[in-house]
Amino acid sequence: MRIIAGEFGGRRLKAPSGSGTRPTGERVREAWFSIVGPALPGASVLDLFAGSGALGLEALSRGAHRAHFVERSRTALTALRANVAALRVTDRVRIVPGDGLAFAERLEGCPYDVVFADPPYGGEAAARLVDRFRADPFAKILGVEHAVRDAVTGDETRTYGDAAITFCYRP
């Protein structure tokens, strides 16, 4: 796994050991960033269910000002911290150990420009995040990756093989 473009383009990232996380494929990340790219310069981003931090770190590489990461897996947190240290962005990052959905449910107002969410496939987290966003938008743009078979209602959905990204935009 590597950073695709920007300041850290081509840099390799450590992946969490084991099978507890499912990294977002490079093709899906490229598509995701082609959509949200214009919103990134100077942005404040949130990476929920962060895993290795590839989405938030890609955003920093492409000009985001700061990134917050939420992850509960100890092995993923170890990889995430190693990646943040290797890229020397600790001053632009906040790592929160915990559940991504619970974190989003506590947000008030609109503290983020872009939120990336890659919850485990097959559960209710993707749909619940969209519902929470609809009730009280916590970002200008929310992008949620999910399995194509797990339909999520948003403003637009793009599919890439078995993966889909549903986008919701603050009114």
Side-chain angles (χ1 to χ4, degrees), residues 7-88:
E7 179 183 356
F8 309 121
R11 299 279 301 271
R12 295 232 174 253
L13 297 174
K14 290 182 187 264
S17 60
S19 60
T21 59
R22 173 200 32 78
T24 299
E26 191 168 310
R27 179 175 163 238
V28 175
R29 279 189 291 127
E30 282 181 26
W32 204 328
F33 281 92
S34 72
I35 294 166
V36 301
L40 292 176
S44 173
V45 302
L46 173 62
D47 187 347
L48 295 170
F49 309 93
S52 67
L55 293 169
L57 294 171
E58 183 78 36
L60 287 174
S61 182
R62 294 177 185 232
H65 176 68
R66 68 183 173 112
H68 291 171
F69 298 87
V70 181
E71 175 57 55
R72 69 177 174 188
S73 162
R74 288 179 192 244
T75 56
L77 284 166
T78 298
L80 171 59
R81 288 182 179 113
N83 290 331
V84 167
L87 296 176
R88 297 185 177 136

Side-chain angles (χ1 to χ4, degrees), residues 11 17 23 89 95 123 128 158 166:
R11 299 279 301 271
S17 60
V89 291
I95 298 172
R128 286 180 58 193
R158 307 279 179 102
T166 295

Side-chain angles (χ1 to χ4, degrees), residues 106-140:
R106 291 189 305 270
L107 291 173
E108 294 180 6
C110 186
Y112 298 100
D113 296 299
V114 179
V115 174
F116 303 95
D118 186 10
Y121 282 10
E124 297 178 357
R128 286 180 58 193
L129 273 171
V130 170
D131 289 345
R132 168 63 179 86
F133 183 86
R134 292 288 186 225
D136 183 14
F138 47 86
K140 294 176 184 170

